[in-house]
Amino acid sequence: MINRVILIGRLTKDPDLKYTSSGAAVGSFNLAVNRQFTNANGDREADFINCVIWRKSAENFANFTHKGSLVGIDGRLQTRNYENKQGQRIYVTEVVVDNFSLLEKRASDNSNANQTQAGSNQTQSKPTDPFEGKGQAVDISDDDLPF
């Protein structure tokens, strides 16, 4: 059996990081994932997918992402249910995240790079290409080839 979910989307708000009574970090967030097709009006719709992430990964995710961040996640689909205060049975389907990837540079990284370049009078030399041959033939004998 296979239960694998891979998604790329944007966070609809900052991740919500909490801790269980035993001290385990748990983060929850909503991921907006565009659909591959447009509707009758020509607009692209999105699905909003509930996700949960645990422990150190949850802390890292909360520290490095924010509303609008483009992320890739890898996990599994899980359903659970509970009874609310009114006695109704509530069913929840969510992605339990095993791994995530940040798919954009952080805004602060980009601004620091721009400040460093603007404040520096040093010119960075472009590395030379050792294979730049100006169209000259390379002399290799058949004995030098490994195949």
Side-chain angles (χ1 to χ4, degrees):
M1 291 177 249
I2 298 173
N3 182 356
R4 237 34 253 152
V5 176
I6 299 171
L7 300 170
I8 295 177
R10 293 196 181 272
L11 297 182
T12 61
K13 62 179 183 173
D14 290 348
D16 183 25
L17 183 65
K18 296 181 180 177
Y19 291 87
T20 65
S21 57
S22 63
V26 58
S28 59
F29 58 95
N30 217 343
L31 197 65
V33 179
N34 285 343
R35 293 183 179 169
Q36 294 296 316
F37 51 87
T38 57
N39 62 17
N41 297 331
D43 298 325
R44 189 170 301 275
E45 295 179 357
D47 293 304
F48 299 91
I49 300 169
N50 295 324
C51 302
V52 64
I53 188 167
W54 288 89
R55 298 175 189 78
K56 187 65 177 172
S57 294
E59 293 174 330
N60 289 334
F61 191 83
N63 287 332
F64 293 106
T65 62
H66 54 82
K67 178 181 178 179
S69 294
L70 182 66
V71 296
I73 62 166
D74 173 27
R76 59 187 165 80
L77 197 61
Q78 177 177 287
T79 58
R80 59 185 172 87
N81 63 73
Y82 64 92
E83 195 170 297
N84 67 9
K85 293 178 182 177
Q86 292 78 27
Q88 297 172 317
R89 178 72 46 197
I90 304 296
Y91 293 90
V92 179
T93 301
E94 60 199 358
V95 175
V96 178
V97 178
D98 294 326
N99 298 300
F100 69 90
S101 296
L102 306 175
L103 300 179
E104 293 178 315
K105 279 188 169 184
R106 291 176 53 176
S108 62
D109 291 344
N110 194 15
S111 64
N112 288 341
N114 290 340
Q115 290 173 356
T116 302
Q117 287 177 347
S120 172
N121 290 332
Q122 298 175 357
T123 58
Q124 294 180 354
S125 62
K126 184 178 172 183
T128 58
D129 184 358
F131 299 105
E132 185 177 310
K134 298 183 179 88
Q136 298 172 353
V138 178
D139 185 28
I140 299 176
S141 71
D142 288 342
D143 296 334
D144 292 334
L145 298 175
F147 47 89

